[in-house]
Amino acid sequence: MGMQHVTLQSRPSLTPSQIADLRLAASKLTGPERRSFEAAMTWKYCAGNPLMAEAVFGWGRQTVALGLAESRSGIICLGAQAAFSGRKRWEEQHPQVAQALRQLADAHA
């Protein structure tokens, strides 16, 4: 898989208004959706070069590189916050009570 050699001097021909629009669109997204969008725009306008995307759009090159890797592999990376946070379901917090309620409901069904 050969990647084109791209230098920062060969920036895409986007107007400042278009760049601002792309930056605004990316700012409205979060997590995997944002990385996917940034990766797609990097492929389209920066030949898949995260360093150029950082220079042109102001996006973090590590984030863009992760988005490119996710799009290439099809595997979405989750951070510890997304993977292990959030409130547990009531049934998970109180399994014995949930089971008793299920039995009670089954008896009346």
Side-chain angles (χ1 to χ4, degrees):
M1 182 169 107
M3 184 181 283
Q4 296 174 331
H5 179 70
V6 180
T7 64
L8 291 178
Q9 286 75 29
S10 61
R11 290 182 180 218
S13 57
L14 291 171
T15 65
S17 174
Q18 290 170 323
I19 291 172
D21 290 343
L22 291 171
R23 291 183 70 189
L24 177 65
S27 73
K28 300 294 181 186
L29 301 170
T30 59
E33 292 87 11
R34 182 177 191 154
R35 292 191 302 267
S36 176
F37 175 77
E38 289 179 2
M41 294 303 103
T42 299
W43 275 116
K44 185 172 184 175
Y45 297 111
C46 302
N49 187 328
L51 182 60
M52 183 180 282
E54 180 181 43
V56 172
F57 300 114
W59 298 330
R61 75 182 112 168
Q62 293 85 4
T63 303
V64 173
L66 179 59
L68 291 168
E70 287 176 341
S71 68
R72 187 172 44 252
S73 69
I75 298 171
I76 304 300
C77 299
L78 293 177
Q81 176 71 20
F84 300 108
S85 69
R87 185 174 174 182
K88 291 184 179 180
R89 294 178 51 188
W90 184 87
E91 293 87 350
E92 292 174 7
Q93 292 178 350
H94 308 284
Q96 288 118 355
V97 177
Q99 181 62 30
L101 286 174
R102 270 190 226 100
Q103 290 172 350
L104 184 63
D106 289 341
H108 292 285

